[in-house]
Amino acid sequence: MLDTQSLYKILFSHMGSQHWWPAESKIEVILGAILVQNTNWRNAAYALEQLKVKTEFDPEQILNLDWESLQTLIKSSGFYKNKARTILNLLAWLECFDFDYHAVKLYYQHQLRNALLEVNGIGSETADVLLVYIFEEVAFIPDSYTRRIYKKLGYANTESYEKLKQHIQLPETFTNADANEFHALLDNFGKNYFNGKNEKKYTFLDTYFEE
C-alpha cells in the first residue's frame, strides 16, 4: 500500500505542479471554495464571473448586495440560497478583522479550524481549503476524489470526509506548498481518472490500485 509521501511523489513526478488555486486574489479563492461545493468548477466559475462583473470581488460590495441580487448572481452554482448565506456569513466574520488574514490566523492560532467551522455554512472541506489556500496552513483535504483514490489504494475509513481525515496524517516535512500541491494533484488526477478521461498518462497508479 502506498504511503502518503510516496503517493505525493508519484503524482508530482507524473503530473507536475498544478498551479492551484486558480484565482487572482484570496477573496476569489474564498468565493470559489464556497461556490464549487456540490457542483462542478464550470458552474462555479460562471457564478464567479457574474460576481466579478458586479462587484470586482470587493468584499464590501458583496456584503452590500441585497439578498435577491446575490442569489441571482451565483444561481449557476446550485444551492444558491445556502451558498449566498454562507458567503455573507464568512465575509461578515472576516470583516471583523478588516479582511486581514494574518490577523485572523494570529488571533485563533491552533483553534482556527474550529473557528471556521463555527461560521454558519462552513463545513469541514471548505474549512480545510481555507486553511491551506487562505491561511497558509498544512491540512489534508480528503474530498470525494481523494477518498476514491485512497479507497482504490486499499485504505480503510474512506466512507466519509472526517473518517479519512482522522486516519491519514500528512508527513511532518510537509509545507503549506506541499499541502496545496498534494490536494491539487489528487483532485485533478481524480477528475481525469474517474470521469472516463483516464488516458495513458493517468493510469500510472493502476499497479497500486486494488480491485
Side-chain angles (χ1 to χ4, degrees), residues 17-22 133 180-181 183-185 187-188 191:
S17 180
Q18 302 300 292
H19 306 291
W20 267 32
W21 190 283
Y133 293 95
N180 176 323
E181 197 68 70
H183 171 240
L185 287 163
D187 209 58
N188 283 335
K191 286 175 184 175

Side-chain angles (χ1 to χ4, degrees), residues 64-209:
N64 288 330
L65 287 171
D66 64 73
W67 178 241
E68 290 76 15
S69 295
L70 179 56
Q71 290 182 68
T72 299
L73 290 170
I74 67 170
K75 194 168 185 177
S76 67
S77 69
F79 302 97
Y80 54 90
K81 290 184 179 180
N82 289 338
K83 290 180 181 181
R85 188 176 296 110
T86 300
I87 287 170
L88 294 177
N89 289 339
L90 182 58
L91 293 186
W93 181 72
L94 291 169
E95 186 181 33
C96 296
F97 294 88
D98 296 320
F99 300 96
D100 184 334
Y101 307 109
H102 184 63
V104 175
K105 184 175 177 177
L106 284 178
Y107 183 82
Y108 288 105
Q109 299 187 40
H110 297 303
Q111 294 303 311
L112 180 53
R113 186 175 193 265
N114 290 335
L116 287 166
L117 291 172
E118 289 177 1
V119 177
N120 190 21
I122 298 296
S124 294
E125 183 176 335
T126 305
D128 289 331
V129 166
L130 296 177
L131 284 177
V132 172
Y133 293 95
I134 301 300
F135 298 105
E136 300 177 1
E137 295 279 357
V138 176
F140 180 52
I141 307 172
D143 61 14
S144 58
Y145 283 128
T146 295
R147 295 198 302 276
R148 291 174 73 179
I149 292 168
Y150 271 82
K151 183 177 181 179
K152 290 278 283 183
L153 289 170
Y155 282 82
N157 303 299
T158 60
E159 61 269 27
S160 74
Y161 188 98
E162 290 296 344
K163 283 190 176 181
L164 186 58
K165 185 172 180 64
Q166 293 169 10
H167 188 65
I168 299 296
Q169 296 294 322
L170 294 179
E172 292 183 1
T173 57
F174 255 40
T175 63
N176 169 256
D178 291 324
N180 176 323
E181 197 68 70
F182 189 46
H183 171 240
L185 287 163
L186 287 165
D187 209 58
N188 283 335
F189 177 89
K191 286 175 184 175
N192 286 281
Y193 189 89
F194 293 111
N195 287 340
K197 301 176 183 177
N198 50 327
E199 301 169 7
K200 187 176 181 180
K201 64 179 179 178
Y202 291 105
T203 61
F204 52 84
L205 287 181
D206 277 352
T207 55
Y208 300 97
F209 283 164

